[in-house]
Amino acid sequence: MPAREVVAREAAAREARAARAGAAIPDAGAQPGAQDLSLFLHEAPGGLVEMAFAIEGIDCAACIDEIEDAAEAEPGVAQARLNYTTHRLTVAWAPGAEPGPAGVMAALAGRGYRAYPFEADRVEESERGASRHLLRCLAVAGFAAMNIMLLSVSVWSGNLSDITPETRDLFHWLSALIALPAAAYAGQPFYQSAFRALKARSLNMDVPITLGVMLALGVSVLETLNHARDAYFDSAVMLLFFLLTGRYLDQAMRRRTRAEAGNLAALRATSANRIGADGSLVTVPAAAVKPGDEVVVRAGERVPVDGRVLSGTGAVDESLVTGETLPRTFAAGETVHAGALVQDGALRLIATAVGEDTFLQEIERLLDRGATARGRYVRLADRAARLYAPMVHATAALSLAGWLIAGASLHQAALIAVAVLIITCPCALALAVPAVQVVAAGALMRRGVLLNSGDALERLAEADAVAFDKTGTLTLPEPAIANTDAVPADLMAAAGRLAHASTHPLARAIAAAAPDPAPAEEVREVAGLGVEGVVGGETARLGSPAFCGFDEADTKGAPGTSHVAVSLGKRRALIEIRQALRPDAGAVVEALRRAGRHIVILSGDRREAVAPVAAALHVEDWWGGARPAEKIAVLESLEAGGRNVLMVGDGINDAPSLASAHVSISPITAADVARAQADAVFLGERLAPVAAALAIAGKARALMRQNLAIAVMYNAVAVPLAIAGAVTPLVAALAMSGSSLLVTLNALRARRAGGREMAVFEADFEAPASVTPGRTREDAR
């Protein structure tokens, strides 16, 4: 059955259930087979159906491969991607595949992971509970560690002086009295995870941690019973304290990034004021609005759908949708997006896109897709961490056997094996790359950039050349009137009223600038020439200069402008329309050039239109009239010369070059096919996010390498020392936990990346008055 039919059937079932009693969220604790999961499926690209699951039991980045492999092993599953930040697993199936979602949930349960349909609010509540539990465990471990250390210091100093055996035993038993219940409570996150893994006949990083803690406590109790000089209660509790600190910081960092991304979800309106067939205003759930319905959005309300303004005016804040901080006044004929906040006035809209098809939902999909995909550094760290747990156990076992063979006592060999187990815990390696990726994703989000590919960060960092398309990329996507002051007000008003009835792209610019949103009367469109109607009792025309009575000699204007004529009765005027440069285009291009990046303009537009833009931006290498194949040829020639090219484009004709470039980025206003091919998209009217993305990517790659180097160097130094018996369990706990904290703190440095680039480009860019001739593709060669 086709995916669209499957989804339609499920949507019908959803509406029927909601009409009766509301579609309740299935109980996560119920058996998968007892749940009706069809309510949570929706259509995915490629004719597939898709569902998002929330996953519980993820304790580290090394779990990602295991979860994805378990899901993809199910019949009919085409792809499974886990977002480590949100713990959201997105699974795509062929339509009609069995057992479907229930099979995935059962497969994950068999691996020790609990899965249920993803609901952002429910997941956040679960995360808050987990965070509170971690904090309580951390507090218990910290309190116990401080008290045990006071007792241990007394024992250590007493061993060097005159402590009596009875006093030492008393202090050891007091330490045990504190450590055993504290470790039993504080170690729950690790014990539960290790038990789930062992139950599923697998190993994860919490297994050696649990084994190390239990062995340290067990050996300490035996040492105390035998009146030995040393016990290691302090090592076990300190290990738990530092591990819990690292895990709490990791969760807090992920929640912070998820909260920033969740700002988009918070923009969704839950209800809408729909106009009924009888003209009455009825408040309905936003999900009940269909394309073609008319809704009213009042001051203080969020827009529930993408729609075209039919009447009314209002100042609208689209800052969290488009990145622009200044409110924009919308009038009839303009499109407003779901999630925008109407600050004053009221708008009557006709819905053009609802639910999953809105602009806001598209941004969320791009953000989630970028977070779930993984680059080569992430895959490298995942593979290493996945192999690490068996290696840890093997190393500890060989150390125990080796020291016994060398003649050491069982007690000494066991202590060395415990130290090896603790010091070789791969937490630092597992956190090395994901920690940077999580922080960098948050930094990109704040700068208005959404990743569409997991390895985009790495490839952006390698880019040393930037190729810009012109129209819609260096220039704003919508054209603007260049000579508003030169056109009489009544003629401009007549042009606007006619423009509302035209489908021509240039008419949108005139309609946006029109003071009167009411369409003209008796409007008719003359194919290939323009529109004609009645305005104020007089015949009015809008279209080609010849259509409005101009001679060709009268229509010469500035380079790069298009002319639309308007006539009202016997009076007429020319309206000049041009693609305006993005406000900071010049500053961004100059900054990229100063950073050593080669700048190129690849445009399919006419030479006469590209030349002034290239001159204004001081770009020497530019191509006008380039077809898609020619753009690819230019990119290939640059890469053959050793360049890694970042392609920035927005049109359908740019899609092939976006796909073939080393890395690519598109504005969010780009054509759907262009956005699908791009590795990232940026929001807003400014070009600064492109420069910020390059800066953040460079910083992230450096931090990934640093963290991997820290993890490798730590193990290269610490493991031989532990095997040689030169490290006690306490020192091992401090060293292992310190390495995890170090890579986490190092990753936080990515938060500041890109800020300077955004601040530098706040001032608007003004093109120089002088324009020098440019070159075509053939001239440049």
Side-chain angles (χ1 to χ4, degrees), residues 299-575:
E301 296 178 342
R302 291 206 177 272
V303 179
V305 297
D306 288 356
R308 188 175 70 255
V309 180
L310 294 177
S311 61
T313 58
V316 179
D317 177 8
E318 288 193 306
S319 57
L320 289 179
V321 179
T322 66
E324 292 305 305
T325 56
L326 294 177
R328 175 184 165 195
T329 300
F330 282 81
E334 295 186 279
T335 298
V336 63
H337 298 296
L341 177 66
V342 178
Q343 293 185 332
D344 59 53
L347 300 175
R348 179 170 177 166
L349 312 174
I350 181 170
T352 57
V354 300
E356 296 290 322
D357 298 326
T358 61
F359 177 78
L360 180 63
Q361 193 64 31
E362 174 67 14
I363 293 178
E364 287 194 64
R365 279 195 292 268
L366 288 168
L367 183 62
D368 187 61
R369 190 187 306 170
T372 54
R374 287 173 288 155
R376 58 180 177 271
Y377 286 114
V378 184
R379 292 191 295 268
L380 174 64
D382 283 351
R383 286 195 298 269
R386 198 175 183 187
L387 295 172
Y388 214 74
M391 292 176 60
V392 167
H393 293 92
T395 303
L398 289 173
S399 300
L400 176 66
W403 278 97
L404 288 174
I405 293 172
S409 65
L410 178 61
H411 166 264
Q412 183 183 3
L415 286 180
I416 293 173
V418 169
V420 171
L421 275 174
I422 294 173
I423 209 165
T424 54
C425 176
C427 293
L429 184 61
L431 289 172
V433 176
V436 176
Q437 195 174 45
V438 168
V439 177
L444 285 167
M445 179 67 187
R446 289 192 300 275
R447 310 294 189 251
V449 180
L450 308 175
L451 294 180
N452 199 15
S453 173
D455 61 350
L457 272 174
E458 298 156 32
R459 289 185 283 119
L460 277 168
E462 296 167 351
D464 56 8
V466 184
F468 289 100
D469 175 47
K470 181 187 77 71
T471 306
T473 303
L474 288 171
T475 64
L476 293 171
E478 295 293 336
I481 297 176
N483 65 334
T484 304
D485 296 337
V487 181
D490 58 338
L491 288 178
M492 182 60 75
R497 296 184 65 180
L498 289 168
H500 283 299
S502 174
T503 58
H504 194 280
L506 295 180
R508 290 198 300 267
I510 299 173
D516 189 351
E521 301 172 358
E522 302 178 21
V523 176
R524 68 183 184 91
E525 188 159 0
V526 182
L529 296 176
V531 292
E532 183 180 68
V534 177
V535 176
E538 294 185 276
T539 299
R541 286 185 170 184
L542 179 70
S544 68
F547 181 58
C548 298
F550 280 94
D551 294 331
E552 185 176 351
D554 298 331
T555 61
K556 293 181 179 179
T561 60
S562 300
H563 293 90
V564 177
V566 59
S567 65
L568 182 62
K570 295 183 179 180
R571 302 170 58 220
R572 60 182 184 267
L574 282 175
I575 301 174

Side-chain angles (χ1 to χ4, degrees), residues 620-643:
E620 296 182 359
D621 293 331
W622 60 271
W623 284 258
R627 296 178 179 274
E630 294 173 328
K631 290 185 178 183
I632 293 175
V634 174
L635 295 177
E636 289 176 346
S637 67
L638 289 170
E639 293 184 357
R643 297 281 188 182

Side-chain angles (χ1 to χ4, degrees), residues 49-81:
V49 290
E50 191 175 73
M51 179 174 171
F53 298 89
I55 309 296
E56 292 183 1
I58 300 176
D59 300 300
C60 63
C63 301
I64 295 176
D65 277 342
E66 183 178 8
I67 291 171
E68 291 179 349
D69 290 347
E72 290 179 346
E74 287 299 295
V77 173
Q79 186 182 61
R81 287 291 177 266

Side-chain angles (χ1 to χ4, degrees), residues 33-411:
Q35 302 177 17
D36 182 2
L37 300 173
S38 64
L39 297 176
F40 300 92
L41 289 169
H42 62 272
E43 187 176 353
L48 303 174
V49 290
E50 191 175 73
M51 179 174 171
F53 298 89
I55 309 296
E56 292 183 1
I58 300 176
D59 300 300
C60 63
C63 301
I64 295 176
D65 277 342
E66 183 178 8
I67 291 171
E68 291 179 349
D69 290 347
E72 290 179 346
E74 287 299 295
V77 173
Q79 186 182 61
R81 287 291 177 266
L82 178 67
N83 185 327
Y84 179 64
T85 302
T86 61
H87 288 186
R88 173 177 177 171
L89 175 68
T90 303
V91 183
W93 291 270
E98 295 293 342
V104 170
M105 294 172 68
L108 293 177
R111 299 288 187 99
Y113 300 100
R114 186 183 181 193
Y116 53 88
F118 185 90
E119 287 279 336
D121 293 341
R122 185 179 181 184
V123 170
E124 181 57 29
E125 179 60 33
S126 174
E127 284 287 291
R128 279 197 296 268
S131 181
R132 289 193 294 266
H133 181 59
L134 273 177
L135 191 58
R136 288 194 296 268
C137 292
L138 178 61
V140 169
F143 177 81
M146 287 188 294
N147 285 277
I148 294 171
M149 284 303 295
L150 289 175
L151 296 169
S152 297
V153 169
S154 300
V155 172
W156 297 339
S157 60
N159 284 336
L160 298 176
S161 55
D162 56 354
I163 190 172
T164 64
E166 294 78 12
T167 304
R168 183 171 54 228
D169 288 348
L170 174 64
F171 280 15
H172 283 167
W173 282 118
L174 288 174
S175 297
L177 186 64
I178 298 171
L180 293 175
Y185 180 82
Q188 289 180 75
F190 308 104
Y191 307 153
Q192 292 169 358
S193 172
F195 176 75
R196 286 195 302 267
L198 292 173
K199 185 178 179 182
R201 298 180 180 180
S202 64
L203 294 174
N204 63 13
M205 291 192 302
D206 290 333
V207 173
I209 291 173
T210 300
L211 187 58
V213 170
M214 290 185 172
L215 283 175
L217 292 173
V219 169
S220 298
V221 171
L222 289 175
E223 293 288 90
T224 303
L225 288 171
N226 293 325
H227 310 289
R229 287 169 53 90
D230 296 309
Y232 305 98
F233 297 110
D234 47 6
S235 300
V237 178
M238 287 292 286
L239 172 63
L240 289 175
F241 174 72
F242 283 110
L243 284 173
L244 287 166
T245 301
R247 188 156 291 187
Y248 182 78
L249 288 175
D250 175 58
Q251 189 191 55
M253 188 167 54
R254 288 189 293 102
R255 287 188 66 196
R256 176 71 175 269
T257 300
R258 185 168 60 248
E260 291 167 352
N263 287 337
L264 294 175
L267 294 177
R268 286 197 296 265
T270 57
S271 62
N273 304 312
R274 185 172 64 185
I275 300 175
D278 59 353
S280 62
L281 199 63
V282 182
T283 301
V284 299
V289 179
K290 303 291 189 295
D293 287 352
E294 294 184 15
V295 298
V296 173
V297 189
R298 297 167 295 209
E301 296 178 342
R302 291 206 177 272
V303 179
V305 297
D306 288 356
R308 188 175 70 255
V309 180
L310 294 177
S311 61
T313 58
V316 179
D317 177 8
E318 288 193 306
S319 57
L320 289 179
V321 179
T322 66
E324 292 305 305
T325 56
L326 294 177
R328 175 184 165 195
T329 300
F330 282 81
E334 295 186 279
T335 298
V336 63
H337 298 296
L341 177 66
V342 178
Q343 293 185 332
D344 59 53
L347 300 175
R348 179 170 177 166
L349 312 174
I350 181 170
T352 57
V354 300
E356 296 290 322
D357 298 326
T358 61
F359 177 78
L360 180 63
Q361 193 64 31
E362 174 67 14
I363 293 178
E364 287 194 64
R365 279 195 292 268
L366 288 168
L367 183 62
D368 187 61
R369 190 187 306 170
T372 54
R374 287 173 288 155
R376 58 180 177 271
Y377 286 114
V378 184
R379 292 191 295 268
L380 174 64
D382 283 351
R383 286 195 298 269
R386 198 175 183 187
L387 295 172
Y388 214 74
M391 292 176 60
V392 167
H393 293 92
T395 303
L398 289 173
S399 300
L400 176 66
W403 278 97
L404 288 174
I405 293 172
S409 65
L410 178 61
H411 166 264

